[in-house]
PDB file of all heavy atoms in Angstrom:
ATOM      1  N   ILE B 366     157.098 124.009  83.926  1.00  0.00           N
ATOM      2  CA  ILE B 366     155.838 124.651  84.429  1.00  0.00           C
ATOM      3  C   ILE B 366     154.675 123.895  83.830  1.00  0.00           C
ATOM      4  O   ILE B 366     154.636 123.588  82.651  1.00  0.00           O
ATOM      5  CB  ILE B 366     155.799 126.124  84.031  1.00  0.00           C
ATOM      6  CG1 ILE B 366     156.994 126.899  84.583  1.00  0.00           C
ATOM      7  CG2 ILE B 366     154.522 126.747  84.539  1.00  0.00           C
ATOM      8  CD1 ILE B 366     158.061 127.156  83.547  1.00  0.00           C
ATOM      9  N   SER B 367     153.724 123.563  84.676  1.00  0.00           N
ATOM     10  CA  SER B 367     152.531 122.873  84.243  1.00  0.00           C
ATOM     11  C   SER B 367     151.323 123.481  84.938  1.00  0.00           C
ATOM     12  O   SER B 367     151.449 124.085  85.999  1.00  0.00           O
ATOM     13  CB  SER B 367     152.600 121.361  84.486  1.00  0.00           C
ATOM     14  OG  SER B 367     152.825 121.110  85.847  1.00  0.00           O
ATOM     15  N   ASP B 368     150.159 123.299  84.357  1.00  0.00           N
ATOM     16  CA  ASP B 368     148.945 123.818  84.979  1.00  0.00           C
ATOM     17  C   ASP B 368     147.832 122.763  85.059  1.00  0.00           C
ATOM     18  O   ASP B 368     148.056 121.643  84.587  1.00  0.00           O
ATOM     19  CB  ASP B 368     148.463 125.101  84.252  1.00  0.00           C
ATOM     20  CG  ASP B 368     147.861 124.819  82.866  1.00  0.00           C
ATOM     21  OD1 ASP B 368     147.968 123.649  82.395  1.00  0.00           O
ATOM     22  OD2 ASP B 368     147.330 125.714  82.227  1.00  0.00           O
ATOM     23  N   ARG B 369     146.738 123.136  85.586  1.00  0.00           N
ATOM     24  CA  ARG B 369     145.630 122.220  85.804  1.00  0.00           C
ATOM     25  C   ARG B 369     145.076 121.712  84.507  1.00  0.00           C
ATOM     26  O   ARG B 369     144.450 120.638  84.450  1.00  0.00           O
ATOM     27  CB  ARG B 369     144.553 122.892  86.641  1.00  0.00           C
ATOM     28  CG  ARG B 369     143.511 121.956  87.177  1.00  0.00           C
ATOM     29  CD  ARG B 369     142.554 122.666  88.075  1.00  0.00           C
ATOM     30  NE  ARG B 369     141.777 123.688  87.372  1.00  0.00           N
ATOM     31  CZ  ARG B 369     140.764 124.360  87.930  1.00  0.00           C
ATOM     32  NH1 ARG B 369     140.433 124.185  89.175  1.00  0.00           N
ATOM     33  NH2 ARG B 369     140.074 125.266  87.209  1.00  0.00           N
ATOM     34  N   ALA B 370     145.264 122.481  83.427  1.00  0.00           N
ATOM     35  CA  ALA B 370     144.745 122.096  82.108  1.00  0.00           C
ATOM     36  C   ALA B 370     145.673 121.176  81.373  1.00  0.00           C
ATOM     37  O   ALA B 370     145.476 120.948  80.167  1.00  0.00           O
ATOM     38  CB  ALA B 370     144.458 123.327  81.281  1.00  0.00           C
ATOM     39  N   LEU B 371     146.718 120.667  82.040  1.00  0.00           N
ATOM     40  CA  LEU B 371     147.692 119.721  81.476  1.00  0.00           C
ATOM     41  C   LEU B 371     148.639 120.385  80.491  1.00  0.00           C
ATOM     42  O   LEU B 371     149.334 119.693  79.749  1.00  0.00           O
ATOM     43  CB  LEU B 371     147.032 118.516  80.865  1.00  0.00           C
ATOM     44  CG  LEU B 371     146.255 117.619  81.781  1.00  0.00           C
ATOM     45  CD1 LEU B 371     145.779 116.335  81.031  1.00  0.00           C
ATOM     46  CD2 LEU B 371     147.109 117.207  82.982  1.00  0.00           C
ATOM     47  N   ARG B 372     148.661 121.707  80.472  1.00  0.00           N
ATOM     48  CA  ARG B 372     149.688 122.376  79.609  1.00  0.00           C
ATOM     49  C   ARG B 372     151.021 122.328  80.343  1.00  0.00           C
ATOM     50  O   ARG B 372     151.096 122.588  81.550  1.00  0.00           O
ATOM     51  CB  ARG B 372     149.247 123.785  79.312  1.00  0.00           C
ATOM     52  CG  ARG B 372     148.015 123.880  78.426  1.00  0.00           C
ATOM     53  CD  ARG B 372     147.618 125.296  78.166  1.00  0.00           C
ATOM     54  NE  ARG B 372     147.296 126.031  79.404  1.00  0.00           N
ATOM     55  CZ  ARG B 372     147.066 127.320  79.467  1.00  0.00           C
ATOM     56  NH1 ARG B 372     147.127 128.084  78.350  1.00  0.00           N
ATOM     57  NH2 ARG B 372     146.765 127.897  80.625  1.00  0.00           N
ATOM     58  N   THR B 373     152.057 122.047  79.619  1.00  0.00           N
ATOM     59  CA  THR B 373     153.376 121.958  80.176  1.00  0.00           C
ATOM     60  C   THR B 373     154.394 122.632  79.257  1.00  0.00           C
ATOM     61  O   THR B 373     154.314 122.513  78.008  1.00  0.00           O
ATOM     62  CB  THR B 373     153.823 120.499  80.376  1.00  0.00           C
ATOM     63  OG1 THR B 373     152.911 119.851  81.281  1.00  0.00           O
ATOM     64  CG2 THR B 373     155.222 120.398  80.941  1.00  0.00           C
ATOM     65  N   ILE B 374     155.285 123.413  79.862  1.00  0.00           N
ATOM     66  CA  ILE B 374     156.376 123.986  79.092  1.00  0.00           C
ATOM     67  C   ILE B 374     157.653 123.829  79.884  1.00  0.00           C
ATOM     68  O   ILE B 374     157.631 123.959  81.110  1.00  0.00           O
ATOM     69  CB  ILE B 374     156.118 125.460  78.723  1.00  0.00           C
ATOM     70  CG1 ILE B 374     157.219 125.968  77.780  1.00  0.00           C
ATOM     71  CG2 ILE B 374     155.985 126.312  79.970  1.00  0.00           C
ATOM     72  CD1 ILE B 374     156.906 127.307  77.140  1.00  0.00           C
ATOM     73  N   ALA B 375     158.750 123.512  79.237  1.00  0.00           N
ATOM     74  CA  ALA B 375     159.998 123.323  79.894  1.00  0.00           C
ATOM     75  C   ALA B 375     161.039 124.341  79.313  1.00  0.00           C
ATOM     76  O   ALA B 375     161.116 124.479  78.083  1.00  0.00           O
ATOM     77  CB  ALA B 375     160.535 121.912  79.736  1.00  0.00           C
ATOM     78  N   VAL B 376     161.701 125.064  80.191  1.00  0.00           N
ATOM     79  CA  VAL B 376     162.745 125.987  79.750  1.00  0.00           C
ATOM     80  C   VAL B 376     164.015 125.675  80.544  1.00  0.00           C
ATOM     81  O   VAL B 376     163.968 125.034  81.560  1.00  0.00           O
ATOM     82  CB  VAL B 376     162.321 127.441  80.018  1.00  0.00           C
ATOM     83  CG1 VAL B 376     161.205 127.852  79.088  1.00  0.00           C
ATOM     84  CG2 VAL B 376     161.929 127.673  81.474  1.00  0.00           C
ATOM     85  N   HIS B 377     165.142 126.129  80.002  1.00  0.00           N
ATOM     86  CA  HIS B 377     166.390 125.879  80.697  1.00  0.00           C
ATOM     87  C   HIS B 377     167.355 127.027  80.446  1.00  0.00           C
ATOM     88  O   HIS B 377     167.200 127.812  79.492  1.00  0.00           O
ATOM     89  CB  HIS B 377     167.011 124.566  80.246  1.00  0.00           C
ATOM     90  CG  HIS B 377     167.484 124.571  78.802  1.00  0.00           C
ATOM     91  ND1 HIS B 377     166.646 124.268  77.748  1.00  0.00           N
ATOM     92  CD2 HIS B 377     168.672 124.890  78.244  1.00  0.00           C
ATOM     93  CE1 HIS B 377     167.297 124.357  76.610  1.00  0.00           C
ATOM     94  NE2 HIS B 377     168.521 124.748  76.886  1.00  0.00           N
ATOM     95  N   ALA B 378     168.319 127.138  81.321  1.00  0.00           N
ATOM     96  CA  ALA B 378     169.354 128.164  81.172  1.00  0.00           C
ATOM     97  C   ALA B 378     170.619 127.641  81.912  1.00  0.00           C
ATOM     98  O   ALA B 378     170.533 126.740  82.767  1.00  0.00           O
ATOM     99  CB  ALA B 378     168.912 129.513  81.773  1.00  0.00           C
ATOM    100  N   THR B 379     171.733 128.239  81.610  1.00  0.00           N
ATOM    101  CA  THR B 379     172.994 127.854  82.222  1.00  0.00           C
ATOM    102  C   THR B 379     173.299 128.789  83.390  1.00  0.00           C
ATOM    103  O   THR B 379     173.198 130.021  83.297  1.00  0.00           O
ATOM    104  CB  THR B 379     174.145 127.935  81.217  1.00  0.00           C
ATOM    105  OG1 THR B 379     173.845 127.028  80.148  1.00  0.00           O
ATOM    106  CG2 THR B 379     175.438 127.544  81.867  1.00  0.00           C
ATOM    107  N   VAL B 380     173.694 128.183  84.511  1.00  0.00           N
ATOM    108  CA  VAL B 380     174.172 128.937  85.663  1.00  0.00           C
ATOM    109  C   VAL B 380     175.686 128.639  85.793  1.00  0.00           C
ATOM    110  O   VAL B 380     176.079 127.498  85.886  1.00  0.00           O
ATOM    111  CB  VAL B 380     173.460 128.510  86.964  1.00  0.00           C
ATOM    112  CG1 VAL B 380     174.121 129.163  88.151  1.00  0.00           C
ATOM    113  CG2 VAL B 380     172.004 128.903  86.893  1.00  0.00           C
ATOM    114  N   VAL B 381     176.472 129.713  85.727  1.00  0.00           N
ATOM    115  CA  VAL B 381     177.891 129.561  85.899  1.00  0.00           C
ATOM    116  C   VAL B 381     178.262 129.856  87.344  1.00  0.00           C
ATOM    117  O   VAL B 381     177.997 130.962  87.852  1.00  0.00           O
ATOM    118  CB  VAL B 381     178.671 130.550  84.933  1.00  0.00           C
ATOM    119  CG1 VAL B 381     180.196 130.431  85.191  1.00  0.00           C
ATOM    120  CG2 VAL B 381     178.345 130.238  83.484  1.00  0.00           C
ATOM    121  N   VAL B 382     178.847 128.908  88.002  1.00  0.00           N
ATOM    122  CA  VAL B 382     179.213 129.029  89.424  1.00  0.00           C
ATOM    123  C   VAL B 382     180.722 129.113  89.521  1.00  0.00           C
ATOM    124  O   VAL B 382     181.436 128.144  89.119  1.00  0.00           O
ATOM    125  CB  VAL B 382     178.664 127.852  90.273  1.00  0.00           C
ATOM    126  CG1 VAL B 382     179.033 128.005  91.714  1.00  0.00           C
ATOM    127  CG2 VAL B 382     177.171 127.737  90.100  1.00  0.00           C
ATOM    128  N   VAL B 383     181.238 130.198  90.025  1.00  0.00           N
ATOM    129  CA  VAL B 383     182.707 130.388  90.105  1.00  0.00           C
ATOM    130  C   VAL B 383     183.198 129.987  91.487  1.00  0.00           C
ATOM    131  O   VAL B 383     182.438 129.903  92.455  1.00  0.00           O
ATOM    132  CB  VAL B 383     183.089 131.876  89.783  1.00  0.00           C
ATOM    133  CG1 VAL B 383     182.670 132.234  88.382  1.00  0.00           C
ATOM    134  CG2 VAL B 383     182.465 132.835  90.770  1.00  0.00           C
ATOM    135  N   ASP B 384     184.507 129.774  91.556  1.00  0.00           N
ATOM    136  CA  ASP B 384     185.110 129.375  92.808  1.00  0.00           C
ATOM    137  C   ASP B 384     185.031 130.503  93.811  1.00  0.00           C
ATOM    138  O   ASP B 384     185.187 131.671  93.509  1.00  0.00           O
ATOM    139  CB  ASP B 384     186.577 129.010  92.549  1.00  0.00           C
ATOM    140  CG  ASP B 384     187.161 128.133  93.611  1.00  0.00           C
ATOM    141  OD1 ASP B 384     186.377 127.443  94.309  1.00  0.00           O
ATOM    142  OD2 ASP B 384     188.383 128.121  93.778  1.00  0.00           O
ATOM    143  N   ALA B 385     184.734 130.142  95.035  1.00  0.00           N
ATOM    144  CA  ALA B 385     184.671 131.127  96.113  1.00  0.00           C
ATOM    145  C   ALA B 385     186.055 131.622  96.490  1.00  0.00           C
ATOM    146  O   ALA B 385     187.064 130.878  96.355  1.00  0.00           O
ATOM    147  CB  ALA B 385     183.988 130.540  97.349  1.00  0.00           C
ATOM    148  N   PRO B 386     186.202 132.882  96.923  1.00  0.00           N
ATOM    149  CA  PRO B 386     187.526 133.395  97.296  1.00  0.00           C
ATOM    150  C   PRO B 386     188.087 132.749  98.578  1.00  0.00           C
ATOM    151  O   PRO B 386     187.309 132.285  99.423  1.00  0.00           O
ATOM    152  CB  PRO B 386     187.264 134.911  97.466  1.00  0.00           C
ATOM    153  CG  PRO B 386     185.855 134.989  97.878  1.00  0.00           C
ATOM    154  CD  PRO B 386     185.133 133.882  97.101  1.00  0.00           C
ATOM    155  N   LEU B 387     189.414 132.794  98.691  1.00  0.00           N
ATOM    156  CA  LEU B 387     190.072 132.358  99.918  1.00  0.00           C
ATOM    157  C   LEU B 387     190.635 133.588 100.635  1.00  0.00           C
ATOM    158  O   LEU B 387     191.294 134.435 100.009  1.00  0.00           O
ATOM    159  CB  LEU B 387     191.208 131.392  99.534  1.00  0.00           C
ATOM    160  CG  LEU B 387     190.834 130.164  98.723  1.00  0.00           C
ATOM    161  CD1 LEU B 387     192.105 129.449  98.200  1.00  0.00           C
ATOM    162  CD2 LEU B 387     189.962 129.206  99.510  1.00  0.00           C
ATOM    163  N   ARG B 388     190.419 133.657 101.922  1.00  0.00           N
ATOM    164  CA  ARG B 388     190.897 134.816 102.709  1.00  0.00           C
ATOM    165  C   ARG B 388     191.928 134.287 103.742  1.00  0.00           C
ATOM    166  O   ARG B 388     191.597 133.442 104.592  1.00  0.00           O
ATOM    167  CB  ARG B 388     189.715 135.487 103.408  1.00  0.00           C
ATOM    168  CG  ARG B 388     188.646 135.975 102.490  1.00  0.00           C
ATOM    169  CD  ARG B 388     187.597 136.860 103.227  1.00  0.00           C
ATOM    170  NE  ARG B 388     186.910 136.080 104.243  1.00  0.00           N
ATOM    171  CZ  ARG B 388     185.845 135.325 103.985  1.00  0.00           C
ATOM    172  NH1 ARG B 388     185.351 135.246 102.754  1.00  0.00           N
ATOM    173  NH2 ARG B 388     185.224 134.705 104.981  1.00  0.00           N
ATOM    174  N   THR B 389     193.148 134.796 103.561  1.00  0.00           N
ATOM    175  CA  THR B 389     194.267 134.309 104.399  1.00  0.00           C
ATOM    176  C   THR B 389     194.807 135.375 105.383  1.00  0.00           C
ATOM    177  O   THR B 389     194.579 136.584 105.183  1.00  0.00           O
ATOM    178  CB  THR B 389     195.423 133.867 103.519  1.00  0.00           C
ATOM    179  OG1 THR B 389     195.873 135.010 102.739  1.00  0.00           O
ATOM    180  CG2 THR B 389     195.015 132.745 102.614  1.00  0.00           C
ATOM    181  N   ARG B 390     195.471 134.917 106.422  1.00  0.00           N
ATOM    182  CA  ARG B 390     196.135 135.832 107.386  1.00  0.00           C
ATOM    183  C   ARG B 390     197.497 135.170 107.823  1.00  0.00           C
ATOM    184  O   ARG B 390     197.572 133.959 108.074  1.00  0.00           O
ATOM    185  CB  ARG B 390     195.277 136.010 108.642  1.00  0.00           C
ATOM    186  CG  ARG B 390     194.008 136.777 108.409  1.00  0.00           C
ATOM    187  CD  ARG B 390     193.319 137.063 109.696  1.00  0.00           C
ATOM    188  NE  ARG B 390     194.104 138.029 110.492  1.00  0.00           N
ATOM    189  CZ  ARG B 390     193.675 138.445 111.699  1.00  0.00           C
ATOM    190  NH1 ARG B 390     192.538 138.022 112.228  1.00  0.00           N
ATOM    191  NH2 ARG B 390     194.439 139.304 112.369  1.00  0.00           N
ATOM    192  N   GLY B 391     198.527 136.047 107.820  1.00  0.00           N
ATOM    193  CA  GLY B 391     199.786 135.586 108.340  1.00  0.00           C
ATOM    194  C   GLY B 391     199.810 135.775 109.839  1.00  0.00           C
ATOM    195  O   GLY B 391     198.818 136.176 110.476  1.00  0.00           O
ATOM    196  N   ARG B 392     200.973 135.482 110.455  1.00  0.00           N
ATOM    197  CA  ARG B 392     201.119 135.627 111.910  1.00  0.00           C
ATOM    198  C   ARG B 392     202.560 135.770 112.290  1.00  0.00           C
ATOM    199  O   ARG B 392     203.463 135.521 111.466  1.00  0.00           O
ATOM    200  CB  ARG B 392     200.487 134.465 112.633  1.00  0.00           C
ATOM    201  CG  ARG B 392     201.058 133.094 112.263  1.00  0.00           C
ATOM    202  CD  ARG B 392     200.219 131.957 112.822  1.00  0.00           C
ATOM    203  NE  ARG B 392     200.137 132.037 114.275  1.00  0.00           N
ATOM    204  CZ  ARG B 392     199.225 131.313 114.937  1.00  0.00           C
ATOM    205  NH1 ARG B 392     198.356 130.546 114.339  1.00  0.00           N
ATOM    206  NH2 ARG B 392     199.208 131.423 116.266  1.00  0.00           N
ATOM    207  N   ARG B 393     202.846 136.199 113.503  1.00  0.00           N
ATOM    208  CA  ARG B 393     204.215 136.287 113.957  1.00  0.00           C
ATOM    209  C   ARG B 393     204.735 134.860 114.273  1.00  0.00           C
ATOM    210  O   ARG B 393     204.120 134.114 114.984  1.00  0.00           O
ATOM    211  CB  ARG B 393     204.262 137.140 115.241  1.00  0.00           C
ATOM    212  CG  ARG B 393     203.889 138.612 114.974  1.00  0.00           C
ATOM    213  CD  ARG B 393     203.939 139.387 116.260  1.00  0.00           C
ATOM    214  NE  ARG B 393     203.567 140.765 116.051  1.00  0.00           N
ATOM    215  CZ  ARG B 393     203.492 141.680 116.989  1.00  0.00           C
ATOM    216  NH1 ARG B 393     203.750 141.339 118.273  1.00  0.00           N
ATOM    217  NH2 ARG B 393     203.132 142.918 116.741  1.00  0.00           N
ATOM    218  N   LEU B 394     205.902 134.588 113.763  1.00  0.00           N
ATOM    219  CA  LEU B 394     206.468 133.239 113.914  1.00  0.00           C
ATOM    220  C   LEU B 394     207.857 133.332 114.581  1.00  0.00           C
ATOM    221  O   LEU B 394     208.650 134.248 114.349  1.00  0.00           O
ATOM    222  CB  LEU B 394     206.664 132.586 112.507  1.00  0.00           C
ATOM    223  CG  LEU B 394     205.419 132.538 111.635  1.00  0.00           C
ATOM    224  CD1 LEU B 394     205.772 131.976 110.263  1.00  0.00           C
ATOM    225  CD2 LEU B 394     204.321 131.699 112.307  1.00  0.00           C
ATOM    226  N   ARG B 395     208.130 132.360 115.444  1.00  0.00           N
ATOM    227  CA  ARG B 395     209.420 132.333 116.145  1.00  0.00           C
ATOM    228  C   ARG B 395     209.854 130.853 116.302  1.00  0.00           C
ATOM    229  O   ARG B 395     209.087 130.006 116.735  1.00  0.00           O
ATOM    230  CB  ARG B 395     209.325 132.964 117.530  1.00  0.00           C
ATOM    231  CG  ARG B 395     210.696 133.078 118.209  1.00  0.00           C
ATOM    232  CD  ARG B 395     210.571 133.834 119.514  1.00  0.00           C
ATOM    233  NE  ARG B 395     211.857 133.964 120.176  1.00  0.00           N
ATOM    234  CZ  ARG B 395     212.743 134.913 119.923  1.00  0.00           C
ATOM    235  NH1 ARG B 395     212.443 135.869 119.020  1.00  0.00           N
ATOM    236  NH2 ARG B 395     213.886 134.986 120.548  1.00  0.00           N
ATOM    237  N   ALA B 396     211.047 130.627 115.861  1.00  0.00           N
ATOM    238  CA  ALA B 396     211.609 129.276 115.929  1.00  0.00           C
ATOM    239  C   ALA B 396     212.169 129.019 117.336  1.00  0.00           C
ATOM    240  O   ALA B 396     212.497 129.970 118.068  1.00  0.00           O
ATOM    241  CB  ALA B 396     212.720 129.057 114.887  1.00  0.00           C
ATOM    242  N   LYS B 397     212.312 127.762 117.637  1.00  0.00           N
ATOM    243  CA  LYS B 397     213.030 127.347 118.860  1.00  0.00           C
ATOM    244  C   LYS B 397     214.441 126.938 118.428  1.00  0.00           C
ATOM    245  O   LYS B 397     214.632 125.889 117.828  1.00  0.00           O
ATOM    246  CB  LYS B 397     212.347 126.171 119.540  1.00  0.00           C
ATOM    247  CG  LYS B 397     210.998 126.563 120.147  1.00  0.00           C
ATOM    248  CD  LYS B 397     210.374 125.391 120.877  1.00  0.00           C
ATOM    249  CE  LYS B 397     209.058 125.778 121.552  1.00  0.00           C
ATOM    250  NZ  LYS B 397     208.463 124.657 122.270  1.00  0.00           N
ATOM    251  N   GLY B 398     215.329 127.857 118.652  1.00  0.00           N
ATOM    252  CA  GLY B 398     216.696 127.640 118.133  1.00  0.00           C
ATOM    253  C   GLY B 398     216.649 127.826 116.640  1.00  0.00           C
ATOM    254  O   GLY B 398     216.323 128.914 116.138  1.00  0.00           O
ATOM    255  N   PHE B 399     216.964 126.717 115.905  1.00  0.00           N
ATOM    256  CA  PHE B 399     216.890 126.772 114.474  1.00  0.00           C
ATOM    257  C   PHE B 399     215.625 126.059 113.906  1.00  0.00           C
ATOM    258  O   PHE B 399     215.420 126.104 112.702  1.00  0.00           O
ATOM    259  CB  PHE B 399     218.139 126.121 113.880  1.00  0.00           C
ATOM    260  CG  PHE B 399     219.409 126.901 114.108  1.00  0.00           C
ATOM    261  CD1 PHE B 399     220.248 126.504 115.125  1.00  0.00           C
ATOM    262  CD2 PHE B 399     219.742 127.970 113.325  1.00  0.00           C
ATOM    263  CE1 PHE B 399     221.421 127.186 115.371  1.00  0.00           C
ATOM    264  CE2 PHE B 399     220.887 128.681 113.596  1.00  0.00           C
ATOM    265  CZ  PHE B 399     221.736 128.309 114.628  1.00  0.00           C
ATOM    266  N   ALA B 400     214.817 125.470 114.729  1.00  0.00           N
ATOM    267  CA  ALA B 400     213.719 124.643 114.296  1.00  0.00           C
ATOM    268  C   ALA B 400     212.368 125.311 114.557  1.00  0.00           C
ATOM    269  O   ALA B 400     212.198 126.002 115.601  1.00  0.00           O
ATOM    270  CB  ALA B 400     213.770 123.276 114.967  1.00  0.00           C
ATOM    271  N   PHE B 401     211.467 125.054 113.616  1.00  0.00           N
ATOM    272  CA  PHE B 401     210.092 125.584 113.817  1.00  0.00           C
ATOM    273  C   PHE B 401     209.115 124.431 113.463  1.00  0.00           C
ATOM    274  O   PHE B 401     209.276 123.687 112.511  1.00  0.00           O
ATOM    275  CB  PHE B 401     209.786 126.764 112.883  1.00  0.00           C
ATOM    276  CG  PHE B 401     208.349 127.188 112.942  1.00  0.00           C
ATOM    277  CD1 PHE B 401     207.951 128.095 113.930  1.00  0.00           C
ATOM    278  CD2 PHE B 401     207.396 126.718 112.041  1.00  0.00           C
ATOM    279  CE1 PHE B 401     206.611 128.501 114.012  1.00  0.00           C
ATOM    280  CE2 PHE B 401     206.030 127.093 112.141  1.00  0.00           C
ATOM    281  CZ  PHE B 401     205.663 127.977 113.093  1.00  0.00           C
ATOM    282  N   ALA B 402     208.032 124.305 114.233  1.00  0.00           N
ATOM    283  CA  ALA B 402     206.942 123.399 113.959  1.00  0.00           C
ATOM    284  C   ALA B 402     205.673 124.010 114.509  1.00  0.00           C
ATOM    285  O   ALA B 402     205.614 124.395 115.693  1.00  0.00           O
ATOM    286  CB  ALA B 402     207.199 122.042 114.614  1.00  0.00           C
TER     287      ALA B 402
END
Side-chain angles (χ1 to χ4, degrees):
I366 301 102
S367 57
D368 71 353
R369 192 175 65 173
L371 295 186
R372 294 178 298 173
T373 299
I374 186 169
V376 291
H377 67 273
T379 299
V380 173
V381 177
V382 181
V383 299
D384 200 23
L387 304 170
R388 300 189 299 275
T389 60
R390 293 187 66 179
R392 58 191 301 165
R393 296 177 181 179
L394 305 175
R395 186 176 181 85
K397 291 183 177 180
F399 292 100
F401 174 85

